[in-house]
Amino acid sequence: MGVVRKYSCFLLQAGLFICLAGIFFCLSNRYHQQGLTHRTLRPAYDPHFADQPDSYIINSPNNIYQQKVDLPQATNTTERQAAAFIVLVRNSELPGMLQSMQDIESRFNRKFNYPWVFLNEEPFSEEFQNLTTSVASSKTYYGLVNESMWGYPDWIDKQKAAERREAMRALPYGLSESYRHMCRFQSGFFWRHPLVLSLNLEYYWRVEPDVRYFCDLDYDPFLYMKQNKKKYAFNISFKEHSGTIPTLWETVKKFASDKAKEGQVFFNNDVTDSIFKFISGDDGQTYNGCHFWTNFEIARLDLWHTEAYQLFFEYLDKTGGFFYERWGDAPVHSIFAALYLKRDEVHFFNDIGYKHSIYQHCPAEEQLVRRCSCNPESSLDFKDRMSCLSEYMAALNYNSEEDKRTVQDLLLL
């Protein structure tokens, strides 16, 4: 009987061990399939987690720099700014537009009620206007982009442009004619569209169809921009495909040189008081392709109304690079901001979770991500080779007492 009892006990222990091992294997396999581990599980989203922090420190994994950000009071009783959402969109993009609007309205705008401005190179349909108006919590405006802002300027050789598109067919949007018109419009015309001008706006927030916003926002980012004297803000930074902009940097440097010969110098900021190193790691010899993704962009409209930017855009436009190559509005805006603005005038909205295409930003800080429905492990920020956030943080923290050069000095090297 003693032998049987011991044998039964052994079988019971073995069975218990196999059962526990099986449970462990199943759980481990489940987390493996989801791309998660115990260490990387984000805090659960809590829609009732209303305690917005007064400040936080950007302290993401793989980021060697830290930055403290002070946030405004979490309230919607502050004075509204002269601001609006501005969208370039087609009727066919209505489903994606409604999704983007629903995210922004539920996360932010139902508390603040900023208007929406929709622009289109074709007349908006009645369905588009009715459905977008029904989703918006404030006024909606609809404007037509005419041929003077969307068509070919008279100095462009259309045959040459078509041949260049064919030569670039292997590049992103290399064959697209409409994409080039869009990039030129966003670079040089949206900010002076008659409808936009009629609203006397000070700030805008650019929105596109089929984007996602993941985090609750309980303060006014336009007010934050004003109180902190910010002129340009971004969420995702990215590297441009060099094949789409082969002569852009050469043209930018030639602009600075030609204007200097005429007695006009626009880029007098000290290198140490700029984010010049965000766009060039070799003192201006080359452009590294880094830019702010303009599908999310909050900025002062008068930045583009400055004499410096208007001359900058006109110079670029006359070369035909928007059509003979495939210059995007993102590198055009970003290069100018890096050359013209002081580094304290640029802001990274780290606390806004955002996704465009397959790329997304999600704040890694626990007191922020609890207000979001995204996973920081999915962010491209400091680990994806396409991200330029490391370059931005390095430029923001560049400080050399020996470096007395200006941005203009580097452009003329």
Side-chain angles (χ1 to χ4, degrees):
M1 288 292 292
V3 173
V4 173
R5 190 178 295 112
K6 288 180 181 178
Y7 183 71
S8 299
C9 185
F10 170 77
L11 288 178
L12 179 62
Q13 290 174 334
L16 182 60
F17 174 81
I18 292 171
C19 181
L20 291 173
I23 292 172
F24 177 79
F25 174 80
C26 289
L27 289 174
S28 298
N29 187 55
R30 179 184 175 188
Y31 282 120
H32 174 72
Q33 290 175 348
Q34 294 178 350
L36 300 172
T37 67
H38 177 70
R39 292 192 305 275
T40 61
L41 284 175
R42 64 175 177 83
Y45 169 62
D46 181 357
H48 303 294
F49 189 81
D51 296 330
Q52 173 189 291
D54 296 328
S55 65
Y56 68 92
I57 295 176
I58 298 177
N59 188 22
S60 304
N62 306 317
N63 173 28
I64 64 173
Y65 301 102
Q66 293 187 348
Q67 180 187 2
K68 183 181 179 183
V69 179
D70 294 314
L71 296 178
Q73 182 182 0
T75 177
N76 67 346
T77 61
T78 51
E79 181 181 357
R80 299 299 181 265
Q81 305 305 299
F85 302 100
I86 296 182
V87 190
L88 179 65
V89 60
R90 292 189 173 102
N91 291 313
S92 60
E93 296 172 306
L94 176 59
M97 190 68 251
L98 294 176
Q99 174 190 277
S100 300
M101 291 182 70
Q102 286 163 354
D103 275 3
I104 291 178
E105 288 290 341
S106 64
R107 294 294 191 180
F108 164 71
N109 202 45
R110 292 211 180 280
K111 294 166 280 189
F112 290 87
N113 309 121
Y114 279 104
W116 291 83
V117 179
F118 299 97
L119 303 175
N120 189 353
E121 81 273 20
E122 297 178 351
F124 281 109
S125 68
E126 185 175 346
E127 178 189 29
F128 187 99
Q129 295 183 57
N130 289 340
L131 289 178
T132 50
T133 297
S134 70
V135 173
S137 59
S138 186
K139 292 182 179 179
T140 52
Y141 301 89
Y142 303 87
L144 180 65
V145 178
N146 62 31
E147 290 185 3
S148 69
M149 295 184 172
W150 194 264
Y152 286 100
D154 55 15
W155 60 84
I156 294 297
D157 182 335
K158 295 182 183 180
Q159 179 61 35
K160 178 181 176 181
E163 292 171 355
R164 294 302 302 145
R165 289 197 303 274
E166 182 62 34
M168 299 176 71
R169 65 164 42 246
L171 300 178
Y173 299 103
L175 274 175
S176 176
E177 184 178 26
S178 64
Y179 190 84
R180 287 167 168 81
H181 285 301
M182 180 275 291
C183 289
R184 181 172 178 262
F185 173 78
Q186 296 285 26
S187 296
F189 296 101
F190 87 89
W191 41 271
R192 49 181 164 179
H193 187 280
L195 175 58
V196 174
L197 292 177
S198 72
L199 297 174
N200 296 315
L201 300 174
E202 189 174 2
Y203 299 94
Y204 70 94
W205 181 335
R206 177 169 159 183
V207 179
E208 294 196 355
D210 293 304
V211 298
R212 299 306 309 270
Y213 285 84
F214 296 121
C215 302
D216 294 336
L217 192 61
D218 292 329
Y219 68 89
D220 187 341
F222 300 120
L223 179 61
Y224 176 88
M225 297 280 287
K226 189 164 196 172
Q227 290 177 335
N228 292 277
K229 298 180 173 58
K230 304 293 184 181
K231 295 183 178 179
Y232 189 91
F234 71 99
N235 182 269
I236 288 178
S237 54
F238 211 68
K239 287 187 175 71
E240 182 65 290
H241 193 300
S242 60
T244 65
I245 51 168
T247 66
L248 176 58
W249 186 244
E250 172 190 326
T251 307
V252 168
K253 295 184 70 173
K254 194 171 186 301
F255 166 78
S257 175
D258 287 352
K259 290 303 173 184
K261 293 173 184 176
E262 299 172 4
Q264 293 181 296
V265 177
F266 297 112
F267 309 124
N268 275 327
N269 287 332
D270 293 337
V271 174
T272 54
D273 195 25
S274 74
I275 56 166
F276 182 85
K277 289 185 174 293
F278 170 65
I279 59 172
S280 179
D282 56 10
D283 288 341
Q285 295 302 305
T286 61
Y287 171 47
N288 62 11
C290 285
H291 62 273
F292 304 124
W293 237 7
T294 48
N295 42 73
F296 174 104
E297 184 175 70
I298 300 178
R300 289 187 63 97
L301 275 158
D302 60 8
L303 174 61
W304 316 124
H305 286 274
T306 58
E307 180 187 20
Y309 184 75
Q310 292 195 52
L311 291 174
F312 179 76
F313 170 74
E314 290 168 8
Y315 191 95
L316 299 185
D317 198 27
K318 288 289 186 181
T319 69
F322 288 102
F323 297 105
Y324 300 145
E325 296 180 13
R326 205 230 63 195
W327 294 356
D329 54 288
V332 170
H333 280 192
S334 303
I335 289 173
F336 182 78
L339 301 180
Y340 186 74
L341 297 178
K342 296 182 183 296
R343 63 185 182 185
D344 288 343
E345 294 175 322
V346 180
H347 181 63
F348 169 37
F349 272 112
N350 174 61
D351 51 332
I352 298 179
Y354 175 73
K355 182 177 183 180
H356 178 276
S357 184
I358 62 173
Y359 296 101
Q360 74 177 49
H361 162 74
C362 185
E365 297 73 21
E366 182 171 343
Q367 69 268 46
L368 297 179
V369 76
R370 283 191 180 277
R371 302 167 57 77
C372 307
S373 57
C374 56
N375 188 346
E377 287 297 308
S378 300
S379 286
L380 80 159
D381 295 340
F382 294 105
K383 58 186 180 182
D384 193 299
R385 64 182 182 85
M386 294 303 294
S387 173
C388 281
L389 195 54
S390 294
E391 285 86 345
Y392 171 75
M393 295 298 289
L396 204 61
N397 286 275
Y398 176 66
N399 188 17
S400 171
E401 294 183 0
E402 291 76 30
D403 195 344
K404 305 298 183 182
R405 300 170 298 176
T406 66
V407 170
Q408 181 78 6
D409 292 336
L410 296 187
L411 291 174
L412 298 183
L413 287 177

